[in-house]
Amino acid sequence: MKKRNVIVTSLLSASVLFTGFGLEGNAQATDVYPSMNNERAKEEIEEMKAEGMTSEQINELYEMSKKEYNSVSTEEKAEAIFEESQKDIDQYIKEGVIDEYLPKYNEEKDKISVNAKNLGTKGDVLVSYDLNSGSSAIGFGHAAIVSRKAAKTVEAWHKNWSPIKQHGVRRYNNNWGSRKKVYGLWVKKSNNTKYVNAAKYAEKQADQKKPYNMNFFDKKTTKKFYCSQLAWRAWKNQGHDIDNIKIDSVVSPMELVNSNNTKVFYHKK
């Protein structure tokens, strides 16, 4: 029997491209982190420089991404991140503060299913850490935010790798529940209104067709977005900074996972 994949284990017997460049079948078919010297990476580097990134920043991004990939490069490492959140959630329940820290736990626990196509509800942050279905040649992972209609997510993609061949922020079918190597995140000490408003903010960017942001060290701009920047800004506007290292100018998908302001409610290996 598989190890539990969601936090509602008491109710069940068993049990998410930084850059938005990847799509299953389009990315590298190897689990070795790609080199900066391949042709795809060289093309991306030129785009990054055209949008203002320096060579030093590109190298920093690449090294950071390799470290993040290494942190989830085995099932054991990836599961350990989920288990750490599970322990914290169990402690919140034991201390009687679960409604204060994670109000969605009691609201949504009966709706979570490891067999569902959709994942999450309004405002939830989803992160993929699959090298083969969510990474560029430079960055690592992919992030999305669930819209007010759970059948849809809002995501930022580069047009070359977008499943719908669109550049920037758009709505997508929420098929994250059928994917592997995915985390679902709740935001600590939030509430229903903030979840709704985070989703609304992301939807507004999609309605305005905001372009894709190739300058990953410009997370504060709201004129354009990369995937994890969009999820971060949607929640930053609700008063919650879900970046891990909050003082720097880049926010990656794995930083959303490792943030002290989020907890992993779902993991599918």
Side-chain angles (χ1 to χ4, degrees):
M1 186 170 289
K2 290 183 178 180
K3 199 169 185 177
R4 60 185 181 268
N5 294 87
V6 293
I7 63 171
V8 290
T9 52
S10 61
L11 303 176
L12 300 173
S13 60
S15 58
V16 51
L17 304 78
F18 182 3
T19 62
F21 271 96
L23 180 63
E24 190 166 357
N26 289 335
Q28 293 83 357
T30 176
D31 283 335
V32 176
Y33 204 78
S35 166
M36 290 180 68
N37 294 320
N38 64 45
E39 290 304 313
R40 180 177 164 190
K42 291 178 181 178
E43 292 178 6
E44 291 176 19
I45 289 170
E46 291 306 310
E47 286 192 77
M48 292 174 187
K49 287 182 176 179
E51 290 207 21
M53 287 187 70
T54 66
S55 296
E56 291 76 13
Q57 288 174 329
I58 293 170
N59 287 331
E60 183 179 344
L61 173 63
Y62 181 72
E63 293 302 321
M64 179 183 75
S65 299
K66 283 201 299 183
K67 290 180 180 178
E68 290 181 339
Y69 167 70
N70 184 63
S71 73
V72 289
S73 59
T74 67
E75 286 190 359
E76 291 76 13
K77 290 179 180 179
E79 182 70 3
I81 293 173
F82 168 73
E83 291 292 350
E84 184 176 351
S85 276
Q86 175 97 25
K87 289 178 182 177
D88 290 339
I89 292 168
D90 288 344
Q91 189 64 30
Y92 297 155
I93 296 170
K94 182 179 179 181
E95 296 176 357
V97 295
I98 189 66
D99 288 335
E100 175 187 354
Y101 280 84
L102 293 172
K104 265 204 173 184
Y105 175 82
N106 285 317
E107 294 173 9
E108 305 292 344
K109 62 184 180 181
D110 295 330
K111 302 177 184 178
I112 300 173
S113 170
V114 295
N115 298 314
K117 180 180 178 181
N118 299 344
L119 175 59
T121 59
K122 59 185 183 298
D124 288 344
V125 176
L126 312 178
V127 171
S128 167
Y129 61 92
D130 190 343
L131 182 62
N132 296 322
S133 64
S135 357
S136 78
I138 304 298
F140 172 61
H142 182 56
I145 186 166
V146 182
S147 74
R148 285 174 291 173
K149 295 182 179 180
K152 294 288 184 180
T153 55
V154 184
E155 307 180 28
W157 287 75
H158 189 285
K159 62 183 178 182
N160 289 349
W161 305 105
S162 163
I164 58 174
K165 303 301 180 185
Q166 296 293 313
H167 195 67
V169 185
R170 300 291 192 278
R171 288 176 173 83
Y172 288 82
N173 291 329
N174 183 353
N175 60 4
W176 284 72
S178 62
R179 302 184 190 184
K180 295 182 179 180
K181 297 187 177 182
V182 164
Y183 292 119
L185 309 179
W186 285 335
V187 177
K188 287 173 59 179
K189 294 190 173 182
S190 186
N191 57 48
N192 184 68
T193 298
K194 290 183 177 182
Y195 273 101
V196 170
N197 288 339
K200 286 175 66 175
Y201 178 87
E203 290 166 6
K204 182 178 180 180
Q205 311 317 302
D207 291 339
Q208 295 177 354
K209 297 183 177 180
K210 292 288 182 72
Y212 191 76
N213 183 11
M214 285 293 295
N215 187 339
F216 304 115
F217 276 67
D218 187 16
K219 74 177 184 182
K220 292 185 178 180
T221 183
T222 56
K223 295 180 179 179
K224 52 188 178 179
F225 292 93
Y226 53 85
C227 63
S228 43
Q229 174 201 2
L230 175 66
W232 170 76
R233 172 55 66 182
W235 274 102
K236 186 74 163 62
N237 280 17
Q238 314 314 315
H240 297 266
D241 190 340
I242 61 173
D243 194 356
N244 186 33
I245 302 174
K246 298 173 175 54
I247 61 173
D248 65 4
S249 56
V250 60
V251 53
S252 72
M254 284 305 299
E255 285 193 286
L256 304 179
V257 175
N258 294 322
S259 172
N260 63 345
N261 286 326
T262 63
K263 289 297 173 187
V264 182
F265 71 85
Y266 173 96
H267 178 219
K268 189 171 186 178
K269 294 184 282 186

